[in-house]
Amino acid sequence: MSRIVRLSKIFFTAWRFGLLPLLRDSLKPGLRRSLLSVLCWFSPNALPRGERIRLTLEALGPIFVKFGQVLSTRRDLLPEDIADELAKLQDQVPPFSNAKSREIIELALGSPIEDVFISFDATPVASASVAQVHFGVLRGNEQHPEWRDYLVAVKVLRPEILPIIEGDIALMYDLAKLVERTSEDGRRLKPREVVAEFDTYLHDELDLMREAANASQLRRYFADSDKLMIPEMVWDLCHTNVMVMERMHGISIGRMDELRAAGVDFKKLAVDGVEIFFTQVFQYGFFHADMHPGNILISLEPDTFGRYISLDFGIVGTLSQFDKNYLAQNFLAFFNRDYRRVAELHVESGWVPSETRIEDLEGAVRAVCEPYFDRPLKEISLGIVLMRLFQTSRRFKVEIQPQLTLLQKTLLNVEGLGRQLDPDLDLWKTAKPILEKWVSRQLGWRGLLEGLKEEAPNWAKLLPTLPRLIAESLAQRPQQDRSLELEVLKTVLDEERRTRRLLAGALLFLGGFLVGAFLIALQLH
């Protein structure tokens, strides 16, 4: 009954904000479409469609707002005007009571707040759909004397948030099934997969220990950086529903007038932001994927003036070695205008059906990419190129990987922020050194040597046991299978010989290089 009531509220809200005409136009011809046509006579629809969708989600509550934020990242599925409007959604909701917040913190920490904190601000400084944040000052103890007077931020999950989320997610799955059955674009939009992706993101955000681990890993990567700061976690006080971290002092990057008045160099800030992002993606394969202005501060402290401060690591993106190699080769082919190679990579990756005609996919990729090469470099958006490639790929039944759409969404955010700070930002010039270093490491001789270095322990273990394994395999097979086993044996031995030759060649090359360098050094002396 509660689900029926909630569905009724959703339908009424959609009618109130003029979404019914959009729903009607997406339905297959039939009785449902005819009934909606009648109701549309009384439904207002003066505003642009993207704004109507945004207002509807805001009226339905914080979980639907967060769903709209995630949906805005799927620009391979949505029209550009709707995706742009959904990106404006703000995740701000009223805080829960101070007494409840205190109760949750004391239960998690196992001590009264006065025993842990010298002072604690019961009024939250930020409140969102999943959690809210308080400031405090830690009280040192015998085990942790370093805590004394340590300024911290305390993030607290909303009480009983899980049942609310589970109820709204269940409704979204129901609506997704309905869209899939009744909408003409239902199968293309893959609504159930989109809801499942949102479900994963949201449940990840419910575990603050996971978020703390994400923050800790990025902090370790950028420990020596002079461009980015990440708060340190107070691990002894972190739990699944309460997270205590170092308090960072800065101004939101969205408050540009204050930053300008403080003397922040916007051109340097834009370049640093792009370098930070590309380093996260291409060097570490681990990047902050929720980079809206509320999560990005700029330090004004004398020792760290102008550095970025990242907060809120509930959503991070990760790229596997396969993803990195795929992107590396695609970027190289793109830079060289080798559209056939881009098409071949799509097929080789298995993301396009093997029967796809390379020529057709090549022509589609050329139509997307070629216009950009006639523009000044500073006007080229890598995020837009990636987005339109994904949109084009949909025509060829490409299964776009979630981690790549998250990358594309974050890249668009970074580009937009960079050009807001510096309209003349040349993204290619800024990112090129990082990309070249990464591509060289992945595909050049450094990549070859690193690959050999990684595989050497495996070969060292495998080669001594290879004769025994082959003999045992042959002994266990029937006589009629011997010919097949011999073929397998021949293939394995050929591969082993090829690897030894490759390793020997690499070692000879390295040795020759070192000898040559030594001889040149002697001549110079």
Side-chain angles (χ1 to χ4, degrees), residues 14 102 168 182 269 333 379 393 438 442 476 502 509 520:
R102 181 188 182 97
D168 280 348
T182 60
L269 207 58
E379 295 181 12
S393 299
W438 172 59
Q442 295 296 313
Q476 292 172 2
L502 189 64
F509 171 79
I520 291 171

Side-chain angles (χ1 to χ4, degrees), residues 272-483:
D272 287 351
V274 172
E275 288 186 6
I276 288 168
F277 172 72
F278 276 84
T279 300
Q280 288 181 23
V281 171
F282 299 127
Q283 184 169 339
Y284 303 120
F286 189 86
F287 59 94
H288 188 198
D290 194 15
M291 298 179 68
H292 62 75
N295 291 339
I296 305 173
L297 308 180
I298 304 300
S299 173
L300 299 183
E301 299 293 319
D303 294 340
T304 57
F305 186 84
R307 292 190 196 177
Y308 281 88
I309 300 170
S310 283
L311 305 172
D312 194 347
F313 301 89
I315 301 177
V316 296
T318 57
L319 297 176
S320 67
Q321 195 64 35
F322 176 85
D323 295 328
K324 285 184 175 182
N325 288 334
Y326 167 81
L327 286 171
Q329 295 186 63
N330 265 285
F331 281 133
L332 276 178
F334 175 74
F335 293 149
N336 296 325
R337 300 197 192 191
D338 187 353
Y339 306 124
R340 185 175 184 84
R341 182 57 185 150
V342 175
E344 289 172 346
L345 285 166
H346 276 68
V347 176
E348 290 171 10
S349 69
W351 295 345
V352 180
S354 56
E355 64 272 13
T356 301
R357 290 188 74 245
I358 294 292
E359 291 75 16
D360 292 343
L361 185 54
E362 177 189 358
V365 171
R366 181 183 295 108
V368 170
C369 299
E370 191 65 23
Y372 287 94
F373 285 99
D374 294 327
R375 300 183 186 181
L377 286 176
K378 69 180 182 180
E379 295 181 12
I380 297 177
S381 166
L382 182 56
I384 293 293
V385 172
L386 204 57
M387 179 190 76
R388 290 184 177 160
L389 274 176
F390 289 168
Q391 290 173 333
T392 300
S393 299
R394 281 284 175 190
R395 289 168 40 203
F396 295 88
K397 300 180 181 177
V398 176
E399 294 296 330
I400 301 301
Q401 306 301 302
Q403 69 273 21
L404 295 186
T405 57
L406 201 58
L407 170 67
Q408 167 248 310
K409 168 255 186 184
T410 310
L411 183 53
L412 280 170
N413 288 349
V414 170
E415 284 185 330
L417 176 61
R419 291 199 168 111
Q420 185 180 0
L421 293 169
D422 178 12
D424 295 324
L425 174 68
D426 187 336
L427 181 71
W428 294 109
K429 182 179 178 181
T430 306
K432 187 178 178 182
I434 301 171
L435 285 172
E436 286 180 337
K437 181 179 178 182
W438 172 59
V439 169
S440 173
R441 187 187 304 118
Q442 295 296 313
L443 303 178
W445 65 269
R446 291 186 184 88
L448 171 64
L449 292 179
E450 287 184 10
L452 290 171
K453 182 179 177 181
E454 289 178 5
E455 290 298 325
N458 295 330
W459 278 104
K461 292 179 181 178
L462 176 63
L463 288 176
T465 64
L466 194 59
R468 175 178 57 81
L469 293 173
I470 293 171
E472 289 176 356
S473 177
L474 289 173
Q476 292 172 2
R477 292 290 183 182
Q479 186 64 36
Q480 57 267 30
D481 289 344
R482 292 294 171 85
S483 60

Side-chain angles (χ1 to χ4, degrees), residues 144-162:
H144 298 283
E146 73 279 5
W147 284 0
R148 182 170 179 79
D149 297 330
Y150 191 49
L151 302 180
V152 294
V154 184
K155 188 170 184 176
V156 189
L157 274 189
R158 284 187 169 273
E160 302 174 356
I161 186 66
L162 187 59

